[in-house]
Amino acid sequence: MRLRIRNIRKNFKTKNGSVCALDNINLDIQPGEFVCLVGPSGCGKSTLLNIMAGLEKQDSGRIKVDGKIGLMFQEPALFPWLKVKDNVGFGLKIKKLEKQKQEKFIDAHLKMVHLQNFAESYPHELSGGMKQRVALARTLILNPDILLMDEPFAALDAQTREILYKELQNIWQLTKKTVVFVTHNVREAVCLGDRVVVFSARPGRIKKIFDVDLSRPRDLGNLELIKMSNKIMDVLKSEIKEL
Amino acid sequence: MQNIFTKKRVKSVVIKILFLIFLIFLWWLVFKLEIWTPWLFPDPVTVGKTMMKGFSNGTIWMGIMISMKRIFIGFGFSLLFGGLLGFLLAKIKILDETVGFLVLGLQTLPSICWLPLALLWFGLNEQAIIFVVIMGCILSITISVESAVKSIPPIFIRAGKMLGAEGFSLYRYVIFPAILPSLITGIKQGWSFAWRSLMSGEMLFITVGLGQLLMMGRELNDMSQVMAIMLVIIIIGIIFDKLVFGVWENNLRRKWGLVKS
């Protein structure tokens, strides 16, 4: 088991008292699994991700993480003062790895995200999609066991996103990482995930878990995928009505 | 690498040079109209000759060297300690509420107002003038470093920590480069405050230096020396503001993508 989550509960204090963000969350994630968390905004899915990453502390319950964690944000958060290759190699530099090994890893990871021709560019010269690919390479170069992604494609246009779905699936199949992917886009979740975990809002609970048994690489236009998305969407919609 | 001699840049430099020539011509024209007597309003050639003479007999070089030494000591000290203080103010809240308040208050005092105090404390010597230079720029450097550190986008720090940077390496590889663009603006402003303080300080009490050469011109009723030294002071100001700090700032801003080149 890569991740074992037991009875996690988290409250937030607001002006009107305490709001229950996460209520009794139980989830097991296997090594190499791609799990997507979907839910209406404010359902606490990002909070759960932060708890997994160790950035926030749960109020009660236990979480067991087996392995190293890499985190990706909604913004690429690249360092504007570093060239693309130095952004990708940042973690290795901090680790004080030998220069030659650094360069070898950087080359390999730039190739993986198809940006080898942009090694010498600065982040501001890249498009949004390219920036997120650099951010992915920068996270993967540290060889994490678990990759946590917090709506990494939310700010991108549809075409760019579709290309990145393909790339992310390829990279995932190649590297066999465990991925936990937070999104509010159901089609995205079905396209990428082995399992889609649907959250209810306030209090944030796991409402239903869907297994996605479609062959890979998946295409957004696939009929089965659309059917599955609609099924999940119905569950979500009833959730939003209740609010 | 970008070519410095692009068509656009050459054109802009040519325009500036033509404008300068025009200004000198205008100056000469006003001189020829004899509105003021020549000893109050010398022509460009006389001023040029005085400047040449000053450079060739070494007095202007001497003045420049001494003034530069003072500004480097005063400004360097301010950069080091003012920067450190600004950093601490940004990090420690109670310090910001107490010392930060004091810094803001003292900053309103024109630096030359420290001169009487400096003269009484240190006497008529180097320390007094360097003290005035320090007081002229240290507080503005403190304030700009403080605001630079306070305004770092938190996402850089999160990303840096996520990639393993912590403690010293977080400062060295994330925080310092992240504040550099606003730091340079602060340094540039600090330099110009230091330069102004130094000139006013040098003019007000007897000591060698550019400011003193300027006052000497007045005492000798030598308008051409006054104008020559004023020009030298302007040229030094332009060299530092536009060439040293300006080029550094522009390079950095281009790298960050803050300007379209």
Side-chain angles (χ1 to χ4, degrees):
Chain A
M1 206 74 68
R2 271 282 176 241
L3 265 163
R4 185 192 287 271
I5 296 166
R6 285 288 175 272
N7 308 319
I8 290 275
R9 192 183 301 273
K10 173 88 183 171
N11 293 315
F12 279 118
K13 286 190 181 66
T14 62
K15 270 181 270 176
N16 311 321
S18 178
V19 171
C20 184
L22 290 171
D23 184 27
N24 200 24
I25 303 290
N26 288 290
L27 190 64
D28 287 333
I29 295 172
Q30 307 290 338
E33 208 182 358
F34 199 127
V35 175
C36 293
L37 313 181
V38 292
S41 18
C43 71
K45 51 194 194 295
S46 290
T47 309
L48 185 61
L49 203 77
N50 284 341
I51 291 175
M52 290 179 192
L55 296 174
E56 282 181 57
K57 194 94 187 81
Q58 68 272 26
D59 292 332
S60 67
R62 278 177 306 129
I63 179 161
K64 199 174 158 277
V65 180
D66 178 27
K68 218 165 45 175
I69 275 181
L71 179 63
M72 259 181 85
F73 316 104
Q74 184 170 337
E75 315 95 280
L78 301 180
F79 300 129
W81 56 89
L82 294 178
K83 288 178 177 174
V84 164
K85 59 170 190 187
D86 298 323
N87 263 291
V88 171
F90 184 85
L92 300 180
K93 187 172 183 180
I94 296 288
K95 276 169 111 183
K96 298 201 167 64
L97 199 73
E98 288 166 50
K99 268 262 145 48
Q100 282 177 329
K101 278 190 182 167
Q102 280 191 31
E103 274 167 30
K104 224 179 78 196
F105 277 118
I106 292 171
D107 278 347
H109 280 81
L110 280 175
K111 280 205 183 86
M112 188 170 75
V113 295
H114 308 298
L115 286 175
Q116 59 271 43
N117 295 335
F118 292 87
E120 303 289 330
S121 305
Y122 282 97
H124 74 94
E125 296 166 297
L126 307 182
S127 68
M130 288 156 104
K131 281 182 195 161
Q132 267 314 2
R133 272 144 69 191
V134 176
L136 180 64
R138 180 176 78 166
T139 314
L140 286 176
I141 207 167
L142 290 172
N143 197 23
D145 302 295
I146 307 168
L147 186 59
L148 304 177
M149 305 176 87
D150 191 358
E151 307 202 31
F153 305 146
L156 304 176
D157 62 84
Q159 290 92 321
T160 309
R161 250 183 312 192
E162 214 166 317
I163 295 166
L164 286 175
Y165 296 157
K166 281 218 178 75
E167 282 195 16
L168 181 59
Q169 289 185 74
N170 287 336
I171 290 168
W172 170 71
Q173 283 177 317
L174 210 74
T175 57
K176 307 199 164 54
K177 304 279 174 210
T178 311
V179 182
V180 181
F181 189 103
V182 164
T183 176
H184 56 254
N185 183 332
V186 173
R187 288 268 286 276
E188 180 171 284
V190 177
C191 180
L192 294 172
D194 291 325
R195 279 195 292 164
V196 177
V197 181
V198 180
F199 278 72
S200 67
R202 294 206 184 117
R205 290 194 182 115
I206 292 179
K207 183 147 187 173
K208 204 165 176 187
I209 298 179
F210 292 85
D211 289 308
V212 187
D213 295 322
L214 304 174
S215 64
R216 290 184 190 265
R218 294 174 192 157
D219 193 82
L220 271 189
N222 181 293
L223 206 63
E224 291 296 317
L225 193 148
I226 295 171
K227 270 187 199 161
M228 183 107 199
S229 306
N230 289 344
K231 225 163 74 185
I232 298 176
M233 215 95 82
D234 287 339
V235 176
L236 259 179
K237 267 185 199 148
S238 68
E239 190 53 44
I240 292 165
K241 263 180 216 151
E242 278 170 30
L243 279 177
Chain B
M1 205 42 216
Q2 266 180 334
N3 190 1
I4 308 167
F5 300 103
T6 55
K7 235 178 174 178
K8 225 165 125 188
R9 288 210 183 170
V10 170
K11 199 177 157 198
S12 128
V13 168
V14 167
I15 286 176
K16 286 195 180 80
I17 289 172
L18 286 177
F19 178 66
L20 269 179
I21 292 170
F22 172 72
L23 271 186
I24 292 170
F25 170 75
L26 214 65
W27 176 3
W28 177 82
L29 207 68
V30 173
F31 172 78
K32 276 287 163 202
L33 291 174
E34 291 182 17
I35 304 170
W36 298 285
T37 59
W39 70 269
L40 278 183
F41 195 84
D43 67 323
V45 180
T46 317
V47 173
K49 274 184 186 155
T50 309
M51 203 193 282
M52 283 305 155
K53 208 178 108 204
F55 275 116
S56 62
N57 70 18
T59 48
I60 292 185
W61 286 123
M62 187 74 173
I64 292 177
M65 292 306 283
I66 289 172
S67 293
M68 282 294 132
K69 193 186 108 201
R70 287 174 181 150
I71 198 168
F72 276 120
I73 294 173
F75 181 66
F77 178 93
S78 303
L79 212 54
L80 198 66
F81 291 96
L84 199 68
L85 179 63
F87 196 80
L88 292 175
L89 290 184
K91 286 286 162 193
I92 305 168
K93 193 147 192 279
I94 181 73
L95 211 61
D96 190 22
E97 279 163 356
T98 53
V99 179
F101 177 69
L102 182 73
V103 167
L104 276 177
L106 288 180
Q107 161 71 8
T108 59
L109 187 67
S111 63
I112 200 63
C113 301
W114 288 98
L115 189 67
L117 184 145
L119 290 178
L120 288 175
W121 274 1
F122 303 104
L124 279 165
N125 57 28
E126 254 344 81
Q127 279 109 308
I129 192 110
I130 287 172
F131 179 78
V132 171
V133 173
I134 290 173
M135 291 321 288
C137 64
I138 193 166
L139 301 174
S140 95
I141 290 172
T142 298
I143 292 169
S144 65
V145 169
E146 183 192 355
S147 80
V149 173
K150 274 184 176 169
S151 58
I152 301 177
I155 190 79
F156 288 155
I157 309 233
R158 279 182 76 192
K161 282 184 176 163
M162 210 52 235
L163 297 167
E166 53 189 2
F168 179 72
S169 67
L170 189 67
Y171 284 104
R172 164 80 180 77
Y173 294 112
V174 180
I175 295 179
F176 180 70
I179 64 173
L180 209 50
S182 38
L183 202 61
I184 290 174
T185 315
I187 289 174
K188 203 169 134 187
Q189 186 187 307
W191 170 274
S192 81
F193 281 158
W195 182 238
R196 276 148 223 243
S197 311
L198 178 67
M199 287 303 117
S200 7
E202 281 184 348
M203 281 171 66
L204 281 181
F205 78 103
I206 314 301
T207 162
V208 270
L210 279 176
Q212 198 47 45
L213 286 177
L214 193 56
M215 278 313 260
M216 207 153 77
R218 191 208 75 140
E219 272 147 27
L220 300 173
N221 276 340
D222 184 354
M223 190 48 135
S224 70
Q225 170 156 351
V226 169
M227 286 181 143
I229 300 295
M230 281 170 77
L231 282 174
V232 170
I233 294 174
I234 290 173
I235 290 165
I236 292 176
I238 290 176
I239 286 175
F240 276 95
D241 201 70
K242 290 279 175 280
L243 294 181
V244 179
F245 296 118
V247 169
W248 186 20
E249 193 179 21
N250 278 340
N251 280 341
L252 201 83
R253 290 175 71 84
R254 197 172 305 123
K255 201 161 103 177
W256 278 60
L258 297 171
V259 279
K260 292 272 164 275
S261 53

